[in-house]
Amino acid sequence: MELLRKPKGTNGKVHNITPESAGWGYVGFGLYRLTAGQEAAEATGDREAILVLVEGKARITAGGQDFGEMGERMSVFERTPPHCLYVPNSSEWQAVAVTDCVLAVCTAPGKGNHPVRRLGPEGIELTPRGTGANTRYINNIAMEAREVADSLLVTEVFTPQGNWSSYPSHRHDEDDFPRMTYLEETYYMRLNPAQGFGIQRVYTEDGALDVTMAVKDHDVTLVPKGHHPCGAPYGYDMYYLNVMAGPRRNWRFQNDPDHDWIYRRDNP
């Protein structure tokens, strides 16, 4: 599996990651980069979707409803809560860009248990996590505490320059609830300034998988299994949009035993 996916151009649908192209069973991720007046439209089929206006503004209709103009932040690094929309399976959606915009399409199997609805900015609050050089800031869009989706877990993370994130290293690759859940995961990466880079390592404890990647602005990484910490070099703030899904909508993980002492020290 190729874990680092580069965008296909700078306009239109630049990412189209499906379970088939990823080689797994649940998570899909698409990304549109649109200029004012451009449109994007899809039918969800047997999958649910969460649309995230990463940047810019668009008029969105979904499930037969007109949600009007959505979006507020013009740069993702404003850190304000995103405008998001849940679209169930067996539905259609359309977005028409009002300004230049970046629209993420997060998908996973849908079961028809939730209606089309706004998910943000209401109900999303920037929350700090970690301490010291492990401090990062979270916008929980659709995590477990919000009963808004059948399969999808979606969150944004802002990592300041010089800091680490998804750390201490943890994994969620076994279907053994409540000890751990199996969740596939994608990371959509942004850097500020945009010419920067970040680092992500995806590895298993037995060493069978051990890949370290230099990620750039608009790259996507895949985490099929194992631990997946990432770091932001000095001078470059990092953002990522996480999409997770698996056989059940719960996030339970285990830290790497080699590094769990850091978590225990910081959370006595």
Side-chain angles (χ1 to χ4, degrees):
M1 180 188 293
E2 180 59 51
L3 302 187
L4 178 59
R5 304 294 176 96
K6 295 288 185 179
K8 294 176 172 60
T10 59
N11 183 255
K13 193 169 190 179
V14 300
H15 282 290
N16 185 27
I17 296 165
T18 65
E20 293 74 24
S21 70
W24 57 27
Y26 295 91
V27 169
F29 182 78
L31 190 81
Y32 288 91
R33 296 184 66 182
L34 305 176
T35 57
Q38 281 188 304
E39 298 183 11
E42 293 184 5
T44 57
D46 61 357
R47 299 176 66 76
E48 63 183 2
I50 291 179
L51 310 182
V52 180
L53 270 163
V54 178
E55 293 173 327
K57 301 178 182 181
R59 294 190 303 274
I60 300 181
T61 58
Q65 297 184 42
D66 186 349
F67 289 88
E69 185 177 299
M70 296 182 63
E72 181 178 1
R73 63 190 187 194
M74 301 308 291
S75 164
V76 69
F77 289 99
E78 294 172 21
R79 293 190 185 180
T80 53
H83 290 221
C84 310
L85 191 68
Y86 174 82
V87 187
N89 53 293
S90 303
S91 302
E92 296 181 351
W93 62 264
Q94 180 187 44
V96 180
V98 176
T99 68
D100 290 356
C101 73
V102 176
L103 177 68
V105 184
C106 317
T107 71
K111 303 171 185 175
N113 294 324
H114 299 275
V116 60
R117 61 169 288 188
R118 282 180 177 265
L119 294 182
E122 302 81 12
I124 301 174
E125 183 176 351
L126 191 68
T127 305
R129 182 182 296 167
T131 187
N134 201 39
T135 301
R136 61 270 198 212
Y137 300 89
I138 318 295
N139 276 331
N140 283 318
I141 294 169
M143 291 301 286
E144 189 177 337
R146 301 185 81 187
E147 189 59 44
V148 296
D150 294 327
S151 301
L152 280 167
L153 294 163
V154 179
T155 193
E156 294 185 319
V157 179
F158 298 87
T159 306
Q161 58 171 316
N163 283 16
W164 286 83
S165 195
S166 294
Y167 189 81
S169 305
H170 68 267
R171 65 184 177 95
H172 38 74
D173 54 11
E174 295 180 42
D175 187 10
D176 186 26
F177 183 80
R179 183 183 70 89
M180 190 188 304
T181 48
Y182 172 84
L183 294 169
E184 302 158 356
E185 187 168 19
T186 57
Y187 282 65
Y188 164 58
M189 302 286 199
R190 298 293 301 274
L191 282 302
N192 186 34
Q195 73 269 26
F197 68 95
I199 297 294
Q200 185 168 34
R201 181 187 181 202
V202 179
Y203 69 96
T204 54
E205 290 162 29
D206 63 4
L209 173 65
D210 196 343
V211 177
T212 300
M213 299 168 280
V215 298
K216 302 200 75 175
D217 203 39
H218 295 291
D219 285 354
V220 173
T221 61
L222 311 185
V223 182
K225 62 181 178 180
H227 304 280
H228 38 279
C230 47
Y234 177 67
Y236 295 100
D237 292 334
M238 184 166 66
Y239 159 94
Y240 53 81
L241 175 66
N242 278 142
V243 184
M244 295 184 285
R248 61 183 300 141
R249 192 174 179 266
N250 300 100
W251 182 45
R252 300 290 185 276
F253 59 85
Q254 293 287 314
N255 290 332
D256 184 335
D258 285 349
H259 310 303
D260 187 52
W261 67 270
I262 300 171
Y263 178 84
R264 288 184 281 107
R265 180 198 64 190
D266 292 349
N267 297 273

